[in-house]
């Protein structure tokens, strides 16, 4: 029966129902119904199942066929005499490449999130010294406003310069990872695919936990400022609460950016195995466009943050650029994924 064959093939290739459903752009519930025999896949889904697992549609639909008799190429159909001579199959991702890719993605996510964190905390010392120069009695030391501004701005510029250098360096490293995801395939049933699926599945819980913690920290970050204002504390402590706000926000954004970059890297390599050449080409092109847009987007966001901050000097407000920017980019990626999924159906 078709239901039994789907279960056997899925388990043979080490795929969960969720992973199998993602490959076919259907829900896990739909896969569960297929495997229980309560519903039947549509014809186009049957074709995609045959191409995904490297078996013929006759094997899936006819009980008289065995898998050994009708098994074909796992991810690339052999060229016929009429096929173009220059057509070629993409290279398979090796186990070593998969391990290296996962390691690079984790390192890149740490570097990128650290750069974002540096941008957010860059004005902290400037704000603190400005408050100390205005309220020396509460601060416990005396410093002129000119010296405070000079020291604060110099350290701010150095911090931003270090962050920008990190953005550029990380951009090159991410481009290298993207080239692997776009130029090779991670085929089900291989050691590379098993490693990726295991890492991807194990990362789901940390992803949700860090994402929730990051969002909660950003939401709760104004509490020190609100508390100091309501309690009518000395104005110097109100200024210090702004620094605490920026620190809390930086940690929250750090967590959000880091896990988002890792998950995005997993998805790119996971989706590098496509059902057919046409879909693969469209997916590769779409990722290329999104990757280029991502670099432009975060660069412009950094420019907006710096221009707005220096022009208004409202550093206690301008940090919102990163929170809003992160939310907007998440929406853009979600819309992109929805459109891509719709086109593949």
């Amino acid at each position: 029966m078709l239901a039994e064959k789907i279960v056997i093939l899925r388990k043979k290739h080490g795929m969960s129902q969720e992973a199998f459903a993602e490959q076919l752009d259907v829900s896990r519930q739909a896969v569960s119904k297929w495997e229980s025999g309560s519903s039947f896949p549509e014809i186009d889904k049957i074709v995609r199942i045959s191409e995904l697992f490297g078996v013929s549609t006759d094997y899936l639909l006819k009980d008289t066929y065995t898998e050994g008799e009708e098994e074909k190429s796992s991810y690339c159909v052999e060229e016929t005499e009429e096929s173009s001579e220059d057509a070629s199959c993409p290279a398979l991702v090796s186990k070593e490449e998969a391990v290296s890719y996962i390691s690079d993605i984790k390192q890149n996510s740490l570097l990128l999130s650290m750069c974002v964190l540096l941008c957010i905390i860059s004005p902290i010392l400037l704000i603190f010294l400005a408050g100390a120069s205005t309220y020396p009695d509460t601060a416990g030391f005396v410093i002129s406003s000119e010296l405070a501004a000079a020291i604060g701005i110099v350290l701010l510029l150095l911090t931003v310069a270090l962050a920008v250098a990190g953005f550029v360096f990380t951009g090159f490293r991410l481009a290298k990872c993207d080239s692997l995801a776009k130029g090779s395939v991670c085929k089900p049933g291989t050691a590379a695919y098993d490693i990726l699926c295991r890492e991807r599945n194990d990362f789901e819980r940390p992803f949700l936990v860090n994402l929730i913690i990051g969002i909660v920290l950003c939401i709760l970050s104004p509490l020190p400022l609100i508390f100091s204002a309501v309690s009518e504390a000395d104005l110097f402590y109100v200024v210090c609460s702004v620094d605490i706000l920026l620190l809390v926000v930086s940690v929250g954004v750090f967590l959000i950016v880091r896990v988002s970059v890792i998950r995005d890297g997993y998805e790119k390599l996971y989706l590098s195995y496509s059902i057919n050449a046409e879909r693969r080409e469209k997916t590769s092109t779409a990722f290329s466009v999104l990757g280029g847009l991502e670099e432009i987007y975060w660069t412009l966001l950094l420019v907006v943050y710096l221009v707005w901050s220096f022009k208004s000097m409202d550093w206690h407000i301008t940090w919102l650029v990163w929170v809003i920017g992160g939310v907007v980019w998440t929406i853009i990626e979600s819309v992109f994924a929805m459109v891509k999924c719709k086109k593949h159906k």
Side-chain angles (χ1 to χ4, degrees):
M1 293 179 59
L2 175 60
E4 295 177 353
K5 292 177 180 178
I6 291 177
V7 175
I8 292 173
L9 288 170
R10 178 177 63 77
K11 291 184 177 179
K12 177 182 177 181
H13 288 79
M15 298 179 67
S16 64
Q17 286 188 340
E18 291 81 359
F20 181 48
E22 288 184 16
Q23 289 286 344
L24 299 179
D25 295 327
V26 298
S27 65
R28 188 196 63 78
Q29 290 75 14
V31 172
S32 179
K33 290 180 179 179
W34 294 349
E35 295 184 350
S36 65
S38 60
S39 67
F40 195 81
E42 298 175 354
I43 296 300
D44 65 315
K45 301 301 182 187
I46 294 176
V47 173
R48 290 171 65 177
I49 291 172
S50 72
E51 294 175 339
L52 176 62
F53 293 130
V55 297
S56 69
T57 54
D58 284 339
Y59 163 72
L60 292 172
L61 298 174
K62 297 181 180 180
D63 294 337
T64 57
Y65 281 80
T66 63
E67 183 179 355
E69 292 173 347
E70 292 297 330
E71 187 170 358
K72 59 185 179 178
S73 175
S74 298
Y75 78 100
C76 183
V77 180
E78 293 180 354
E79 299 296 332
T80 62
E81 293 181 357
E82 294 80 11
S83 299
S84 172
E85 294 182 356
D86 60 352
S88 60
C89 297
L92 286 174
V93 176
S94 66
K95 178 181 178 180
E96 292 73 19
E97 287 177 326
V99 172
S100 177
Y101 177 89
I102 292 172
S103 176
D104 288 344
I105 285 296
K106 291 180 178 179
Q107 292 178 12
N108 292 339
S109 68
L110 179 61
L111 289 173
L112 185 61
S113 53
M114 281 298 299
C115 292
V116 176
L117 182 145
L118 287 175
C119 288
I120 298 176
I121 67 172
S122 58
I124 284 181
L125 187 59
L126 175 61
I127 296 173
F128 175 78
L129 292 178
S133 65
T134 306
Y135 309 102
D137 294 337
T138 309
F141 63 93
V142 178
I143 184 173
S144 65
S145 58
E146 293 79 8
L147 181 59
I151 295 175
I153 291 176
V154 167
L155 291 179
L156 183 149
L157 293 176
L158 288 175
T159 304
V160 172
L162 181 61
V164 171
F167 281 131
V168 175
F169 178 72
T170 308
F172 281 108
R173 290 174 61 93
L174 287 173
K176 179 182 177 182
C177 293
D178 289 345
S179 65
L180 174 65
K182 291 186 290 185
S184 305
V185 295
C186 195
K187 184 178 76 68
T190 62
Y193 188 84
D194 293 340
I195 292 173
L196 178 63
C197 286
R198 183 173 64 251
E199 289 283 341
R200 184 171 175 267
N201 292 334
D202 292 343
F203 184 68
E204 285 301 313
R205 182 179 178 83
F207 171 77
L208 290 175
V209 171
N210 282 269
L211 187 65
I212 292 172
I213 293 176
I215 293 173
V216 170
L217 287 176
C218 290
I219 295 174
L220 299 180
S221 60
L223 287 181
L225 181 60
I226 295 173
F227 178 78
S228 61
V230 172
S231 61
E232 298 182 354
D234 191 277
L235 291 179
F236 176 73
Y237 295 119
V238 176
V239 172
C240 291
S241 66
V242 175
D243 284 347
I244 297 175
L245 180 151
L246 292 176
L247 282 172
V248 174
V249 168
S250 66
V251 174
V253 174
F254 173 88
L255 295 175
I256 295 172
V257 172
R258 187 181 184 191
V259 295
S260 297
V261 173
I262 294 176
R263 191 166 190 261
D264 183 56
Y266 286 167
E267 291 301 314
K268 285 181 180 180
L269 187 58
Y270 182 76
L271 294 176
S272 67
Y273 177 76
S274 49
I275 302 300
N276 53 60
E278 181 181 0
R279 180 182 173 188
R280 174 180 170 78
E281 180 64 26
K282 289 181 179 180
T283 302
S284 177
T285 302
F287 271 134
S288 179
V289 172
L290 186 66
L293 178 62
E294 183 177 10
E295 293 180 5
I296 296 174
Y297 177 86
W298 290 107
T299 301
L300 288 177
L301 195 68
L302 176 61
V303 172
V304 170
Y305 171 70
L306 294 177
V307 171
W308 182 19
S309 299
F310 278 112
K311 187 174 181 179
S312 65
M313 295 306 291
D314 293 329
W315 298 93
H316 61 291
I317 297 176
T318 55
W319 62 270
L320 287 171
V321 167
W322 297 103
V323 178
I324 297 173
V327 172
V328 171
W329 182 250
T330 301
I331 295 174
I332 293 174
E333 285 189 320
S334 300
V335 172
F336 171 84
M338 291 173 60
V339 172
K340 182 186 66 175
C341 180
K342 185 178 180 180
K343 287 182 177 179
H344 288 169
K345 288 184 177 180

